[in-house]
Amino acid sequence: GTHALLSEEVQFKDLGLLIIDEEQKFGVAAKEKLRKRKVNVDTLTLTATPIPRTMQFSLLNARDMSVMRTPPSNRQPVHTERITFDEMAIRDAIFYEVHRGGQVFFVHNRVASLPELTEMMKELCPTVEFAIAHGQLEPKQLEQTLLDFIDRKYDVLVSTNIIEMGLDIPNA
């Protein structure tokens, strides 16, 4: 679930195991609020980048920590570059990925300007198929867009950082 699980309206019948993926997305207060709903709930937190508090607890033996040193066999490394906004660099990167048979996540932090940004990219790459995804879409529409992207109906998914919430598409 999302942070909506913290709402008082959400009631758990018998909470026995709490699994938190991407621990850094949840603050300490949020995790404690979930734990207070039931005493002695077992908690498993998953993260690629442990937060300092978790590291400290594990070093003090107040919390167990396991480390996976071997990535899944088909896991591709993430390649990230930060450059100044450059339309030609964007065009070249999109064409490179599409022509090698891959797909592209284009992450932008403003929902309001996603359509404008997508139109600009469509002008730069008229032969490429684009889709937009963000958390303000209706859930069914968001799900369908993501499924269509997985099915390769789109080459580029222009989205907010919602894609960081567990979406794993090896082609992208």
Side-chain angles (χ1 to χ4, degrees):
T2 63
H3 280 78
L5 293 175
L6 301 172
S7 165
E8 295 297 328
E9 297 163 6
V10 175
Q11 298 296 320
F12 299 101
K13 181 177 179 182
D14 186 16
L15 184 61
L17 175 63
L18 173 62
I19 301 175
I20 299 173
D21 193 8
E22 297 295 335
E23 178 186 27
Q24 69 275 14
K25 303 282 186 194
F26 281 82
V28 173
K31 289 182 278 191
E32 291 306 317
K33 185 173 182 180
L34 284 170
R35 285 190 193 108
K36 284 181 183 176
R37 293 204 177 168
K38 181 166 182 193
V39 180
N40 296 328
V41 63
D42 292 319
T43 304
L44 172 65
T45 55
L46 309 170
T47 185
T49 52
I51 60 175
R53 184 172 187 261
T54 301
M55 293 291 288
Q56 181 182 6
F57 278 152
S58 68
L59 293 172
L60 294 172
N61 291 324
R63 188 175 288 163
D64 293 332
M65 184 168 89
S66 298
V67 177
M68 292 178 57
R69 298 193 193 292
T70 307
S73 59
N74 63 348
R75 180 68 179 199
Q76 297 293 316
V78 173
H79 177 80
T80 304
E81 288 184 35
R82 289 183 57 137
I83 59 173
T84 11
F85 192 88
D86 179 345
E87 290 182 3
M88 293 305 105
I90 292 169
R91 184 198 67 192
D92 292 348
I94 290 172
F95 278 141
Y96 174 81
E97 287 301 316
V98 171
H99 288 136
R100 74 165 190 84
Q103 292 173 286
V104 176
F105 289 128
F106 192 100
V107 181
H108 180 66
N109 61 351
R110 301 260 187 257
V111 173
S113 54
L114 283 176
E116 178 185 333
L117 185 63
T118 304
E119 285 305 314
M120 182 269 301
M121 287 190 283
K122 284 180 179 179
E123 289 176 17
L124 293 172
C125 308
T127 59
V128 174
E129 296 296 323
F130 291 84
I132 296 175
H134 54 79
Q136 294 177 17
L137 291 174
E138 291 294 324
K140 287 184 191 267
Q141 183 184 3
L142 177 60
E143 179 181 19
Q144 190 59 55
T145 300
L146 295 176
L147 290 173
D148 288 346
F149 185 67
I150 290 168
D151 289 341
R152 303 187 68 112
K153 292 180 182 173
Y154 303 109
D155 302 304
V156 179
L157 184 66
V158 184
S159 73
T160 57
N161 64 352
I162 191 172
I163 63 161
E164 295 176 359
M165 301 301 187
L167 193 61
D168 184 27
I169 301 175
N171 288 333

